Amino acid sequence: LGTDRSKLSKRHGATSLEAFRQRGVVPDCMLTFLALLGWSAGAGEEGEIFSREELIARFDLSAVNKAGAVFDHEKLEWMNGCYLRALSVEALTELAIPVLVEAGLIGGTPAEIDRGKVREVLSLTQERVKLLSELPDMTRYFFTADFEYDPKAESKWLTKPETADTLRGLIAALDSIPELTHESLEEAVRALAEQAGLSAAKVIHPCRVAVTGRTFGPGLFELMVVLGKAECVRRLRRALDHVQAQKEGETQ
């Protein structure tokens, strides 16, 4: 049944295995989810996340309920996220690479695929992903600077009077850091905030929007280390040019 207790149909969402595969539901999750439609591991058992071997060992057809089972898409996505988070970063990398190649974010030949970079990105985003199909949008800014600033993020953090000076300060601070680390970045940002008489948040948030186009995601300093110093400076300069162009447009 669908969540409205009527007979499951296409109006409730995807109903074919191929559609779920394309959305990025992993096989072991789909197997467990289907097994749990009308069946449970039994009284006293906790959790619903099983390996295939555990599921085979525990499943008992006599414990399946006769009442119609509800196919809950939200629960399936939640469960799939649990499976993805339980994977090693290496295993998730192998699942993610075809998805990222298809999205055009990384090259398709072995020589073009930087597995180390993909692993670094996934180590920062694995806790947030529920479906493999979410990965291209979730990780796009790690692989390309060709992104638009989220309108709400831009309005909130790139239009303040002090934004241009903040971005200039960030560029100078990064230029002076010999090696980008979480510690060196945090120290530079907090020093810049203190010098400008701003809270650290008023430096961190414009910086995040400048380098990712968004207001949310993994820890800023961690993702900047993955992007690298040169790329972060390029994106900060791009944001500064954008802010200055917007100001010039307003005065004309």
Side-chain angles (χ1 to χ4, degrees):
L1 307 176
T3 51
D4 61 357
R5 298 282 174 173
S6 65
K7 185 178 179 181
L8 188 68
S9 66
K10 288 186 177 180
R11 68 185 178 84
H12 292 106
T15 55
S16 74
L17 283 175
E18 182 59 30
F20 288 112
R21 182 181 290 113
Q22 291 173 352
R23 288 175 63 195
V25 176
V26 294
D28 278 2
C29 173
M30 195 76 222
L31 182 68
T32 300
F33 183 80
L34 292 174
L36 288 169
L37 291 178
W39 171 81
S40 67
E45 299 287 355
E46 294 183 0
E48 297 180 318
I49 309 303
F50 305 120
S51 69
R52 188 172 299 211
E53 292 74 19
E54 288 174 326
L55 186 63
I56 291 171
R58 293 187 184 194
F59 187 80
D60 181 358
L61 189 61
S62 65
V64 176
N65 297 322
K66 293 181 179 180
V70 174
F71 195 106
D72 187 335
H73 287 262
E74 289 187 6
K75 182 175 180 179
L76 175 60
E77 290 188 12
W78 167 82
M79 184 179 288
N80 198 62
C82 293
Y83 274 91
L84 293 178
R85 288 189 292 276
L87 293 173
S88 67
V89 176
E90 288 74 19
L92 181 58
T93 296
E94 295 309 307
L95 292 175
I97 283 174
V99 178
L100 298 175
V101 168
E102 185 177 358
L105 294 179
I106 59 176
T109 67
E112 292 175 308
I113 297 172
D114 184 346
R115 278 180 162 74
K117 172 71 176 291
V118 176
R119 281 195 297 271
E120 285 185 308
V121 170
L122 293 176
S123 70
L124 297 182
T125 55
Q126 185 172 11
E127 288 302 309
R128 297 171 178 266
V129 67
K130 292 188 294 184
L131 298 166
L132 291 172
S133 58
E134 296 175 334
L135 283 173
D137 180 65
M138 185 178 291
T139 65
R140 179 173 300 278
Y141 59 80
F142 282 103
F143 300 104
T144 177
D146 183 21
F147 56 78
E148 300 291 332
Y149 301 115
D150 176 79
K152 290 183 179 179
E154 179 181 2
S155 175
K156 186 171 183 178
W157 295 110
L158 297 186
T159 59
K160 297 184 180 299
E162 70 274 11
T163 298
D165 286 339
T166 300
L167 293 173
R168 289 190 194 97
L170 283 165
I171 292 167
L174 262 65
D175 278 336
S176 68
I177 297 176
E179 180 184 2
L180 240 59
T181 64
H182 182 287
E183 293 75 18
S184 64
L185 279 166
E186 184 172 10
E187 183 179 347
V189 165
R190 295 197 182 281
L192 175 61
E194 185 176 352
Q195 181 182 353
L198 300 171
S199 66
K202 290 186 177 179
V203 176
I204 288 172
H205 291 304
C207 183
R208 179 184 289 279
V209 177
V211 298
T212 72
R214 309 178 183 189
T215 57
F216 58 90
L220 175 63
F221 304 136
E222 289 88 345
L223 73 85
M224 290 178 72
V225 170
V226 172
L227 287 172
K229 177 177 173 177
E231 183 61 22
C232 287
V233 169
R234 275 194 294 270
R235 295 186 185 193
L236 288 166
R237 292 189 188 281
R238 173 197 178 206
L240 177 59
D241 291 342
H242 177 76
V243 168
Q244 291 175 328
Q246 293 294 101
K247 281 190 175 181
E248 290 173 4
E250 292 172 2
T251 58
Q252 290 178 357

